[in-house]
Short mmCIF file of all heavy atoms in Angstrom, two decimals:
data_model
loop_
_atom_site.label_atom_id
_atom_site.label_comp_id
_atom_site.label_asym_id
_atom_site.label_seq_id
_atom_site.Cartn_x
_atom_site.Cartn_y
_atom_site.Cartn_z
N LEU D 1400 2.18 18.24 16.67
CA LEU D 1400 1.47 18.49 15.42
C LEU D 1400 2.42 18.22 14.27
O LEU D 1400 3.55 18.71 14.26
CB LEU D 1400 0.97 19.94 15.37
CG LEU D 1400 0.20 20.34 14.10
CD1 LEU D 1400 -1.11 19.59 14.01
CD2 LEU D 1400 -0.05 21.85 14.08
N SER D 1401 1.94 17.42 13.32
CA SER D 1401 2.75 17.08 12.14
C SER D 1401 2.11 17.72 10.92
O SER D 1401 0.95 17.44 10.60
CB SER D 1401 2.84 15.57 11.97
OG SER D 1401 3.55 15.24 10.79
N VAL D 1402 2.87 18.59 10.24
CA VAL D 1402 2.39 19.27 9.05
C VAL D 1402 3.32 18.91 7.90
O VAL D 1402 4.50 19.28 7.91
CB VAL D 1402 2.33 20.80 9.25
CG1 VAL D 1402 1.84 21.49 7.99
CG2 VAL D 1402 1.46 21.15 10.44
N MET D 1403 2.79 18.15 6.95
CA MET D 1403 3.56 17.71 5.77
C MET D 1403 4.87 17.04 6.18
O MET D 1403 5.93 17.30 5.62
CB MET D 1403 3.81 18.88 4.81
CG MET D 1403 2.55 19.39 4.15
SD MET D 1403 2.83 20.58 2.83
CE MET D 1403 3.52 21.94 3.75
N GLY D 1404 4.79 16.18 7.20
CA GLY D 1404 5.93 15.41 7.63
C GLY D 1404 6.85 16.11 8.61
O GLY D 1404 7.78 15.49 9.12
N ARG D 1405 6.60 17.38 8.90
CA ARG D 1405 7.43 18.12 9.85
C ARG D 1405 6.71 18.17 11.20
O ARG D 1405 5.58 18.64 11.28
CB ARG D 1405 7.72 19.53 9.34
CG ARG D 1405 8.59 19.55 8.09
CD ARG D 1405 8.81 20.98 7.61
NE ARG D 1405 9.74 21.02 6.50
CZ ARG D 1405 9.41 20.83 5.23
NH1 ARG D 1405 8.15 20.58 4.93
NH2 ARG D 1405 10.32 20.90 4.28
N ARG D 1406 7.39 17.69 12.21
CA ARG D 1406 6.78 17.57 13.53
C ARG D 1406 7.06 18.82 14.35
O ARG D 1406 8.19 19.31 14.43
CB ARG D 1406 7.32 16.32 14.23
CG ARG D 1406 6.87 16.14 15.65
CD ARG D 1406 7.12 14.75 16.13
NE ARG D 1406 6.91 14.61 17.57
CZ ARG D 1406 6.72 13.46 18.18
NH1 ARG D 1406 6.73 12.34 17.49
NH2 ARG D 1406 6.53 13.41 19.49
N ILE D 1407 5.98 19.31 15.00
CA ILE D 1407 6.07 20.46 15.90
C ILE D 1407 5.67 19.98 17.29
O ILE D 1407 4.52 19.60 17.52
CB ILE D 1407 5.14 21.60 15.44
CG1 ILE D 1407 5.47 22.00 13.99
CG2 ILE D 1407 5.26 22.80 16.36
CD1 ILE D 1407 4.51 23.01 13.41
N ASN D 1408 6.63 19.96 18.22
CA ASN D 1408 6.37 19.47 19.57
C ASN D 1408 5.83 20.58 20.46
O ASN D 1408 6.29 21.73 20.39
CB ASN D 1408 7.66 18.90 20.18
CG ASN D 1408 8.18 17.69 19.41
OD1 ASN D 1408 7.40 16.90 18.89
ND2 ASN D 1408 9.49 17.55 19.34
N PHE D 1409 4.89 20.21 21.31
CA PHE D 1409 4.32 21.15 22.27
C PHE D 1409 4.77 20.80 23.69
O PHE D 1409 3.98 20.82 24.63
CB PHE D 1409 2.79 21.14 22.18
CG PHE D 1409 2.27 21.68 20.88
CD1 PHE D 1409 1.94 20.83 19.85
CD2 PHE D 1409 2.13 23.04 20.69
CE1 PHE D 1409 1.46 21.31 18.65
CE2 PHE D 1409 1.66 23.55 19.48
CZ PHE D 1409 1.32 22.68 18.46
N TYR D 1410 6.04 20.44 23.82
CA TYR D 1410 6.62 20.17 25.13
C TYR D 1410 8.10 20.53 25.05
O TYR D 1410 8.69 20.61 23.97
CB TYR D 1410 6.43 18.70 25.53
CG TYR D 1410 6.92 17.70 24.50
CD1 TYR D 1410 8.25 17.26 24.49
CD2 TYR D 1410 6.07 17.18 23.54
CE1 TYR D 1410 8.71 16.36 23.57
CE2 TYR D 1410 6.51 16.27 22.60
CZ TYR D 1410 7.83 15.86 22.62
OH TYR D 1410 8.26 14.96 21.69
N LYS D 1411 8.70 20.74 26.19
CA LYS D 1411 10.09 21.20 26.23
C LYS D 1411 11.06 20.05 26.45
O LYS D 1411 11.95 19.82 25.65
CB LYS D 1411 10.25 22.23 27.36
CG LYS D 1411 9.46 23.52 27.13
CD LYS D 1411 9.70 24.51 28.26
CE LYS D 1411 8.94 25.81 28.03
NZ LYS D 1411 9.16 26.79 29.12
N ASN D 1412 10.90 19.29 27.54
CA ASN D 1412 11.84 18.24 27.87
C ASN D 1412 11.55 17.00 27.03
O ASN D 1412 10.42 16.50 27.01
CB ASN D 1412 11.75 17.89 29.36
CG ASN D 1412 12.80 16.89 29.79
OD1 ASN D 1412 13.76 16.66 29.05
ND2 ASN D 1412 12.62 16.30 30.95
N SER D 1413 12.56 16.50 26.32
CA SER D 1413 12.36 15.33 25.47
C SER D 1413 12.75 14.03 26.16
O SER D 1413 12.56 12.96 25.60
CB SER D 1413 13.17 15.48 24.18
OG SER D 1413 14.57 15.61 24.49
N GLY D 1414 13.33 14.07 27.34
CA GLY D 1414 13.73 12.86 28.04
C GLY D 1414 12.56 12.17 28.72
O GLY D 1414 11.60 12.81 29.14
N ILE D 1415 12.64 10.84 28.85
CA ILE D 1415 11.62 10.05 29.52
C ILE D 1415 12.13 9.69 30.91
O ILE D 1415 13.22 9.11 31.04
CB ILE D 1415 11.28 8.78 28.72
CG1 ILE D 1415 10.93 9.15 27.28
CG2 ILE D 1415 10.14 8.03 29.38
CD1 ILE D 1415 9.77 10.09 27.15
N PRO D 1416 11.39 9.99 31.97
CA PRO D 1416 11.90 9.76 33.32
C PRO D 1416 11.82 8.31 33.79
O PRO D 1416 12.17 8.03 34.92
CB PRO D 1416 11.00 10.66 34.18
CG PRO D 1416 9.71 10.72 33.43
CD PRO D 1416 10.08 10.67 31.98
N TYR D 1417 11.38 7.40 32.95
CA TYR D 1417 11.22 6.00 33.36
C TYR D 1417 12.26 5.13 32.67
O TYR D 1417 12.68 5.39 31.53
CB TYR D 1417 9.82 5.49 33.01
CG TYR D 1417 8.71 6.41 33.42
CD1 TYR D 1417 7.73 6.80 32.51
CD2 TYR D 1417 8.64 6.91 34.72
CE1 TYR D 1417 6.70 7.65 32.88
CE2 TYR D 1417 7.61 7.77 35.09
CZ TYR D 1417 6.66 8.13 34.17
OH TYR D 1417 5.65 8.98 34.54
N GLU D 1418 12.66 4.07 33.36
CA GLU D 1418 13.62 3.13 32.78
C GLU D 1418 12.93 2.18 31.82
O GLU D 1418 13.46 1.88 30.74
CB GLU D 1418 14.30 2.34 33.91
CG GLU D 1418 15.33 1.34 33.40
CD GLU D 1418 15.99 0.58 34.54
OE1 GLU D 1418 15.66 0.88 35.71
OE2 GLU D 1418 16.83 -0.29 34.25
N LYS D 1419 11.74 1.70 32.18
CA LYS D 1419 10.97 0.81 31.32
C LYS D 1419 9.57 1.39 31.16
O LYS D 1419 8.92 1.74 32.14
CB LYS D 1419 10.89 -0.60 31.92
CG LYS D 1419 12.26 -1.28 32.05
CD LYS D 1419 12.13 -2.67 32.64
CE LYS D 1419 13.50 -3.34 32.75
NZ LYS D 1419 13.38 -4.70 33.33
N TYR D 1420 9.14 1.47 29.91
CA TYR D 1420 7.84 2.10 29.65
C TYR D 1420 7.30 1.59 28.31
O TYR D 1420 8.02 1.08 27.45
CB TYR D 1420 7.97 3.63 29.61
CG TYR D 1420 9.01 4.13 28.63
CD1 TYR D 1420 8.67 4.40 27.30
CD2 TYR D 1420 10.33 4.33 29.03
CE1 TYR D 1420 9.61 4.84 26.41
CE2 TYR D 1420 11.28 4.78 28.14
CZ TYR D 1420 10.91 5.05 26.83
OH TYR D 1420 11.85 5.49 25.94
N ASP D 1421 5.99 1.74 28.16
CA ASP D 1421 5.30 1.48 26.90
C ASP D 1421 4.83 2.80 26.32
O ASP D 1421 4.53 3.75 27.05
CB ASP D 1421 4.08 0.57 27.12
CG ASP D 1421 4.49 -0.88 27.28
OD1 ASP D 1421 5.61 -1.22 26.86
OD2 ASP D 1421 3.70 -1.67 27.83
N ILE D 1422 4.77 2.86 25.00
CA ILE D 1422 4.33 4.06 24.30
C ILE D 1422 2.99 3.77 23.64
O ILE D 1422 2.85 2.82 22.88
CB ILE D 1422 5.36 4.51 23.24
CG1 ILE D 1422 6.73 4.74 23.89
CG2 ILE D 1422 4.89 5.77 22.54
CD1 ILE D 1422 7.80 5.11 22.89
N ILE D 1423 2.02 4.61 23.92
CA ILE D 1423 0.70 4.53 23.30
C ILE D 1423 0.51 5.78 22.45
O ILE D 1423 0.51 6.90 22.98
CB ILE D 1423 -0.42 4.42 24.35
CG1 ILE D 1423 -0.19 3.19 25.24
CG2 ILE D 1423 -1.79 4.34 23.68
CD1 ILE D 1423 -1.19 3.08 26.38
N SER D 1424 0.40 5.62 21.14
CA SER D 1424 0.29 6.75 20.21
C SER D 1424 -1.14 6.85 19.70
O SER D 1424 -1.74 5.85 19.30
CB SER D 1424 1.26 6.59 19.03
OG SER D 1424 2.60 6.54 19.49
N GLN D 1425 -1.66 8.06 19.70
CA GLN D 1425 -2.99 8.35 19.16
C GLN D 1425 -2.85 9.46 18.13
O GLN D 1425 -2.36 10.55 18.44
CB GLN D 1425 -3.95 8.78 20.27
CG GLN D 1425 -4.21 7.69 21.30
CD GLN D 1425 -5.11 8.15 22.42
OE1 GLN D 1425 -5.38 9.34 22.56
NE2 GLN D 1425 -5.60 7.22 23.23
N LEU D 1426 -3.25 9.18 16.89
CA LEU D 1426 -3.10 10.12 15.79
C LEU D 1426 -4.48 10.45 15.22
O LEU D 1426 -5.31 9.56 15.02
CB LEU D 1426 -2.21 9.53 14.69
CG LEU D 1426 -0.80 9.09 15.12
CD1 LEU D 1426 -0.07 8.47 13.94
CD2 LEU D 1426 -0.02 10.26 15.69
N LYS D 1427 -4.70 11.72 14.96
CA LYS D 1427 -5.93 12.18 14.33
C LYS D 1427 -5.55 13.08 13.15
O LYS D 1427 -4.85 14.07 13.32
CB LYS D 1427 -6.79 12.98 15.32
CG LYS D 1427 -7.35 12.13 16.46
CD LYS D 1427 -8.25 12.97 17.36
CE LYS D 1427 -8.82 12.13 18.50
NZ LYS D 1427 -9.69 12.95 19.40
N SER D 1428 -6.00 12.68 11.96
CA SER D 1428 -5.69 13.45 10.76
C SER D 1428 -6.88 14.31 10.37
O SER D 1428 -8.03 14.01 10.72
CB SER D 1428 -5.32 12.51 9.60
OG SER D 1428 -6.38 11.62 9.33
N TRP D 1429 -6.59 15.36 9.63
CA TRP D 1429 -7.62 16.27 9.16
C TRP D 1429 -8.24 15.68 7.90
O TRP D 1429 -7.56 15.46 6.89
CB TRP D 1429 -7.02 17.64 8.88
CG TRP D 1429 -8.05 18.65 8.43
CD1 TRP D 1429 -9.39 18.58 8.61
CD2 TRP D 1429 -7.79 19.86 7.72
NE1 TRP D 1429 -10.00 19.68 8.07
CE2 TRP D 1429 -9.04 20.48 7.52
CE3 TRP D 1429 -6.64 20.48 7.26
CZ2 TRP D 1429 -9.16 21.69 6.86
CZ3 TRP D 1429 -6.76 21.68 6.60
CH2 TRP D 1429 -8.01 22.28 6.41
N THR D 1430 -9.54 15.41 7.96
CA THR D 1430 -10.26 14.81 6.84
C THR D 1430 -11.35 15.77 6.40
O THR D 1430 -12.47 15.75 6.93
CB THR D 1430 -10.87 13.46 7.24
OG1 THR D 1430 -9.83 12.63 7.79
CG2 THR D 1430 -11.49 12.75 6.05
N PRO D 1431 -11.06 16.66 5.42
CA PRO D 1431 -12.09 17.61 4.98
C PRO D 1431 -13.25 16.96 4.25
O PRO D 1431 -14.36 17.48 4.24
CB PRO D 1431 -11.31 18.57 4.07
CG PRO D 1431 -10.15 17.76 3.59
CD PRO D 1431 -9.80 16.82 4.71
N ALA D 1432 -13.01 15.81 3.60
CA ALA D 1432 -14.06 15.08 2.89
C ALA D 1432 -13.85 13.59 3.13
O ALA D 1432 -12.76 13.15 3.48
CB ALA D 1432 -14.03 15.40 1.39
N GLU D 1433 -14.90 12.84 2.92
CA GLU D 1433 -14.84 11.40 3.17
C GLU D 1433 -13.84 10.76 2.21
O GLU D 1433 -13.91 10.92 0.99
CB GLU D 1433 -16.21 10.77 2.97
CG GLU D 1433 -16.25 9.29 3.31
CD GLU D 1433 -17.64 8.71 3.16
OE1 GLU D 1433 -18.57 9.49 2.83
OE2 GLU D 1433 -17.80 7.51 3.38
N GLY D 1434 -12.91 10.01 2.78
CA GLY D 1434 -11.89 9.35 1.99
C GLY D 1434 -10.72 10.22 1.60
O GLY D 1434 -9.80 9.75 0.92
N LYS D 1435 -10.73 11.51 1.98
CA LYS D 1435 -9.66 12.43 1.63
C LYS D 1435 -9.01 12.93 2.92
O LYS D 1435 -9.69 13.42 3.82
CB LYS D 1435 -10.19 13.62 0.83
CG LYS D 1435 -10.96 13.22 -0.41
CD LYS D 1435 -10.08 12.54 -1.44
CE LYS D 1435 -10.86 12.22 -2.70
NZ LYS D 1435 -10.02 11.56 -3.72
N THR D 1436 -7.71 12.78 3.02
CA THR D 1436 -6.98 13.25 4.19
C THR D 1436 -5.88 14.20 3.75
O THR D 1436 -5.30 14.05 2.68
CB THR D 1436 -6.37 12.07 4.97
OG1 THR D 1436 -5.48 11.34 4.09
CG2 THR D 1436 -7.44 11.13 5.48
N LEU D 1437 -5.60 15.16 4.61
CA LEU D 1437 -4.52 16.10 4.37
C LEU D 1437 -3.36 15.80 5.32
O LEU D 1437 -3.57 15.23 6.40
CB LEU D 1437 -5.02 17.53 4.57
CG LEU D 1437 -6.08 18.02 3.59
CD1 LEU D 1437 -6.50 19.45 3.93
CD2 LEU D 1437 -5.58 17.94 2.16
N PRO D 1438 -2.13 16.17 4.94
CA PRO D 1438 -0.96 15.86 5.78
C PRO D 1438 -0.86 16.74 7.01
O PRO D 1438 0.17 17.34 7.28
CB PRO D 1438 0.22 16.08 4.83
CG PRO D 1438 -0.27 17.10 3.86
CD PRO D 1438 -1.72 16.81 3.67
N VAL D 1439 -1.95 16.85 7.75
CA VAL D 1439 -1.97 17.60 9.01
C VAL D 1439 -2.47 16.62 10.08
O VAL D 1439 -3.62 16.19 10.04
CB VAL D 1439 -2.89 18.83 8.93
CG1 VAL D 1439 -2.91 19.55 10.25
CG2 VAL D 1439 -2.44 19.76 7.80
N ILE D 1440 -1.59 16.23 10.99
CA ILE D 1440 -1.88 15.18 11.96
C ILE D 1440 -1.66 15.73 13.37
O ILE D 1440 -0.60 16.30 13.66
CB ILE D 1440 -1.00 13.94 11.73
CG1 ILE D 1440 -1.24 13.38 10.32
CG2 ILE D 1440 -1.27 12.88 12.77
CD1 ILE D 1440 -0.33 12.22 9.97
N TRP D 1441 -2.67 15.58 14.21
CA TRP D 1441 -2.57 15.93 15.61
C TRP D 1441 -2.33 14.64 16.39
O TRP D 1441 -3.10 13.70 16.30
CB TRP D 1441 -3.84 16.61 16.10
CG TRP D 1441 -3.86 16.89 17.57
CD1 TRP D 1441 -4.52 16.20 18.53
CD2 TRP D 1441 -3.15 17.92 18.26
NE1 TRP D 1441 -4.29 16.72 19.78
CE2 TRP D 1441 -3.44 17.79 19.64
CE3 TRP D 1441 -2.29 18.93 17.85
CZ2 TRP D 1441 -2.91 18.65 20.58
CZ3 TRP D 1441 -1.77 19.78 18.81
CH2 TRP D 1441 -2.08 19.63 20.15
#
Side-chain angles (χ1 to χ4, degrees):
L1400 180 66
S1401 177
V1402 180
M1403 292 189 295
R1405 294 179 174 84
R1406 175 164 170 162
I1407 304 174
N1408 297 325
F1409 293 97
Y1410 54 87
K1411 295 182 179 180
N1412 185 15
S1413 60
I1415 307 301
Y1417 312 128
E1418 181 180 358
K1419 297 181 179 180
Y1420 54 88
D1421 282 340
I1422 303 177
I1423 302 175
S1424 299
Q1425 297 177 348
L1426 304 177
K1427 293 183 180 179
S1428 59
W1429 182 20
T1430 307
E1433 184 178 358
K1435 305 295 183 179
T1436 59
L1437 294 179
V1439 179
I1440 300 175
W1441 174 258

